[in-house]
């Protein structure tokens, strides 16, 4: 059972945790948004590890819904868990893929022995997933995961923070904490 869920209005690259989740693209080589910020803050060793993963495990790119870990480089964490969320579609229901991105990230965290994990709002930035639905899927998946540690969501706007608060309220849960960083 999840020990607690904390909502943060924060830059994920500055949040200390055992594992920080990167909303990556399938190349694993950086990009915009959270992915680019994590790669810039993590430094060159993070990029080198991702290049090796691409070379050895995912030569065609990591599929959406999967997750893989690297060390965290210069970030205030031990590991970065890279997950690829789906792009929002009005024609195809890709909710199961978004659920898988959260679930696989927590499975990888468990394999690493991570006791604390910080997520961004996966797929809710440049991938266009509507904030309220992205928050609902994130909260439901994390609460149902069986992960036995602390989970935080580092959110980039007050509006996204509100979406996550609402998603927790629907589950009759209050965040264990809130802080702005």
């Amino acid at each position: 059972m999840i020990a607690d869920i904390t909502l943060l209005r924060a830059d994920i690259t500055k949040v200390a945790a055992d594992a920080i989740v990167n909303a990556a693209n399938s190349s694993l080589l950086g990009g915009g948004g959270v992915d680019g910020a994590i790669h810039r803050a993590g430094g060159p060793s993070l990029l080198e590890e991702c290049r090796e993963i691409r070379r050895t495990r995912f030569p065609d790119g990591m599929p959406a819904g999967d997750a893989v870990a690297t060390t965290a480089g210069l970030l205030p964490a031990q590991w970065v868990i890279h997950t690829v969320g789906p792009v929002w579609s009005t024609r195809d229901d890709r909710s199961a893929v978004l659920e898988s991105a959260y679930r696989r990230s927590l499975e990888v965290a468990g394999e690493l022995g991570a006791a604390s994990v910080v997520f961004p709002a996966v797929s809710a930035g440049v991938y266009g997933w509507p904030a309220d639905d992205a928050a609902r899927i994130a909260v439901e998946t994390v609460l149902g995961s069986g992960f036995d540690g602390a989970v935080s969501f580092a959110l980039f706007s007050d509006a996204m923070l509100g979406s996550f608060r609402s998603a927790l309220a629907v589950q009759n849960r209050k965040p264990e904490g809130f802080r702005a960083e």
Side-chain angles (χ1 to χ4, degrees):
M1 179 96 178
I2 290 176
D4 60 83
I5 292 178
T6 303
L7 301 180
L8 308 168
R9 173 72 164 83
D11 175 348
I12 196 168
T13 67
K14 295 182 170 45
V15 179
D18 291 341
I20 293 172
V21 177
N22 180 17
N25 61 51
S26 64
S27 79
L28 298 177
L29 303 179
V34 170
D35 191 21
I38 285 175
H39 273 272
R40 283 188 299 277
S45 64
L46 187 64
L47 180 58
E48 286 308 312
E49 284 188 68
C50 287
R51 283 185 176 140
E52 182 64 13
I53 289 168
R54 276 296 306 276
R55 189 181 69 72
T56 59
R57 292 181 60 190
F58 298 111
D60 297 324
M62 189 167 74
D66 205 352
V68 65
T70 63
T71 58
L74 302 172
L75 292 161
Q78 292 181 340
W79 303 285
V80 174
I81 299 170
H82 306 267
T83 191
V84 179
V87 174
W88 167 254
S89 171
T90 57
R91 295 182 184 171
D92 300 319
D93 181 4
R94 299 176 180 167
S95 299
V97 179
L98 184 53
E99 291 168 14
S100 179
Y102 282 100
R103 190 172 37 260
R104 282 289 301 132
S105 295
L106 289 172
E107 288 170 1
V108 170
E111 292 164 7
L112 294 168
S116 60
V117 179
V118 179
F119 282 97
V122 177
S123 289
V126 296
Y127 282 14
W129 208 282
D132 289 343
D133 196 47
R136 177 190 62 78
I137 290 169
V139 166
E140 287 177 2
T141 304
V142 167
L143 288 174
S145 72
F147 180 72
D148 190 26
V151 174
S152 298
F153 290 95
L155 305 165
F156 57 87
S157 71
D158 290 332
M160 189 63 69
L161 180 65
S163 293
F164 274 75
R165 280 186 173 146
S166 295
L168 281 170
V170 167
Q171 297 295 317
N172 293 318
R173 299 280 299 255
K174 291 183 180 178
E176 292 293 326
F178 166 75
R179 65 183 189 267
E181 295 187 359

